[in-house]
Amino acid sequence: MCNSNVKSAGVAQIDGRPVLQPAGNRVAAPEGARPLKKSLQKSLSMPASFDNNAAAATTACAAARPAHENTRAAAVAASLLPPATPASVTARATKAAAAAAVAAEKSRTKARKPGAVLPVVTFAALDAFEPAGSIAAAQREHAALAQAQRKMRIAHYGRTASFSRVEGRVGATATAAAELAVPASPTGHDEKRCSFITLYSDPLYVAYHDEEWGVPVHDDELLFEMLTLSGVQVGADWTSILKKRHLYREAFSGFNVDAVAKYTEKQMASLSADYGLDLGTVRGTVNNACRILEVRRDFGSLDKYVWAFVNNKALSPSYKYSRKIPVKTSKSESISKDMVRRGFRFVGPTVIHSFMQAVGLTNDHLVSCPRHRACSSSAAAAGRAN
């Protein structure tokens, strides 16, 4: 009877001694049990990264313990395994003890190396473990980044320098230094120029701003020149156009309207090849010269025609900031429509607004710029003369 009980319960070998295992320790799977659904299995399963990290932490803990404790732990673990047969239990316990012994030997080898630090992992740390890439880790990283940005804003609050939104560098101090480094205005005023004139502006462009831009023009040849340059300036910048200004003057006979209106197709092709000008631009300029001759017959001069749109009085919007200056206005749109109706080319609303700024039909200098007052005075004097 005793032998049958021993046989049914099973015997496990622990530290070389047979230990009786009651039948109650064995938990057999119920027959005919249905497998869990995939969704339930997925919800009960742990992430793969957690299993890997937990296994590594457990191995490190086993390596940190003495060899005899690892052997005892392996024996206890073997006793908890389902005792299919005494031979399988013994084999599993032997394998576990061998693995623990190898881990202990590796830990002692690492401990003998200079500067080696043994990992210490507690079960409390494993309970609070959060795998990399989890939602909690992402939230913790986001909170740390927000805190760092807040500290940076607090550190720089109230300073004169501001950070650029595009490049993330300090720009206000450099801008102020650039404005102060610009040469003094020829008018002798202490006010600063328009904000688009900086330390890096070309001297030719600065001279154009100080001497020509916004000054009322009543000469037909100069009006014709600025109309042409405004049309060519589309897609480029004024600095590059001003550097080629002498080429345009030579190519178009000093912008003599009568001479340019007589250019033949052969002359236009020759000018385009000799001066490196776009053939369409040359043809458009010659066409505009012919249209100016028609305007002269109707209004007496190009000067009277363009200044009639503003009642012979320059517009003065009095902008405080350069970002407020528009690229076109309702007035430039009305002038553009009339000139297109008359057959002019390259006279869109943006081109005409640039032309109005150049010839003083509108005084778009900032109120802080000394040229604003000078151009207003010139416009008032010209209005009294007319």
Side-chain angles (χ1 to χ4, degrees):
M1 183 66 180
C2 181
N3 294 335
S4 63
N5 290 339
V6 171
K7 186 176 180 180
S8 62
V11 179
Q13 293 290 334
I14 300 178
D15 291 339
R17 295 178 301 170
V19 178
L20 179 64
Q21 295 293 320
N25 288 351
R26 292 179 297 171
V27 180
E31 297 181 0
R34 296 181 182 179
L36 295 176
K37 293 184 179 180
K38 290 185 178 181
S39 59
L40 183 57
Q41 291 177 357
K42 189 178 297 183
S43 63
L44 294 178
S45 62
M46 296 297 292
S49 59
F50 180 85
D51 295 340
N52 296 335
N53 294 330
T58 306
T59 303
C61 290
R65 292 196 297 267
H68 65 278
E69 292 185 8
N70 291 329
T71 306
R72 185 178 301 170
V76 174
S79 65
L80 297 178
L81 295 174
T85 59
S88 63
V89 173
T90 306
R92 291 176 183 176
T94 305
K95 289 182 180 180
V102 172
E105 182 62 25
K106 288 183 179 180
S107 65
R108 287 194 295 271
T109 303
K110 291 183 180 180
R112 285 194 293 268
K113 294 181 180 180
V117 180
L118 294 178
V120 179
V121 181
T122 61
F123 287 98
L126 291 177
D127 294 338
F129 177 79
E130 293 173 356
S134 63
I135 298 177
Q139 291 177 347
R140 191 165 53 253
E141 182 179 357
H142 179 72
L145 180 60
Q147 182 69 10
Q149 292 178 350
R150 178 175 175 273
K151 289 182 179 179
M152 182 177 294
R153 287 195 299 268
I154 293 174
H156 293 277
Y157 179 78
R159 295 189 180 182
T160 56
S162 61
F163 287 91
S164 173
R165 294 182 179 177
V166 178
E167 300 180 358
R169 295 179 296 184
V170 178
T173 304
T175 305
E179 293 175 350
L180 294 176
V182 175
S185 172
T187 58
H189 295 287
D190 293 335
E191 297 122 320
K192 57 184 180 180
R193 292 184 178 92
C194 296
S195 58
F196 51 82
I197 300 295
T198 66
L199 177 64
Y200 307 102
S201 298
D202 191 275
L204 186 63
Y205 182 61
V206 176
Y208 171 73
H209 168 271
D210 292 344
E211 299 173 7
E212 295 186 62
W213 196 66
V215 177
V217 175
H218 296 279
D219 180 71
D220 278 11
E221 292 183 355
L222 188 54
L223 288 171
F224 179 35
E225 176 182 357
M226 299 312 299
L227 180 63
T228 303
L229 295 182
S230 298
V232 176
Q233 189 261 342
V234 176
D237 59 282
W238 267 110
T239 301
S240 59
I241 299 301
L242 292 173
K243 290 181 179 179
K244 297 180 181 179
R245 191 175 186 178
H246 64 285
L247 296 178
Y248 287 99
R249 286 179 174 176
E250 294 177 6
F252 297 115
S253 303
F255 288 97
N256 186 301
V257 178
D258 297 321
V260 174
K262 296 178 182 179
Y263 281 1
T264 62
E265 186 66 28
K266 184 177 180 179
Q267 287 177 307
M268 287 187 280
S270 177
L271 289 175
S272 176
D274 294 343
Y275 292 94
L277 303 178
D278 180 66
L279 184 58
T281 301
V282 176
R283 288 174 176 170
T285 304
V286 174
N287 172 78
N288 288 348
C290 297
R291 304 288 81 77
I292 290 175
L293 293 179
E294 296 175 359
V295 168
R296 282 179 174 178
R297 289 195 294 267
D298 296 340
F299 295 90
S301 65
L302 179 63
D303 168 52
K304 292 182 179 180
Y305 168 70
V306 297
W307 280 94
F309 285 99
V310 294
N311 295 326
N312 295 317
K313 183 179 180 181
L315 305 177
S316 184
S318 300
Y319 297 114
K320 294 182 179 181
Y321 307 100
S322 58
R323 64 175 181 273
K324 296 293 185 179
I325 303 176
V327 295
K328 62 181 180 179
T329 60
S330 59
K331 183 63 68 176
S332 69
E333 289 178 350
S334 61
I335 298 176
S336 172
K337 288 181 181 179
D338 189 80
M339 296 186 78
V340 169
R341 182 178 62 82
R342 293 179 180 275
F344 282 87
R345 296 179 60 184
F346 306 114
V347 288
T350 303
V351 173
I352 293 300
H353 185 66
S354 179
F355 168 71
M356 294 173 63
Q357 292 173 323
V359 300
L361 288 171
T362 178
N363 182 8
D364 280 359
H365 284 281
L366 302 183
V367 292
S368 59
C369 179
R371 293 298 301 165
H372 179 83
R373 188 183 299 107
C375 292
S376 298
S377 302
S378 300
R384 289 192 296 269
N386 293 333

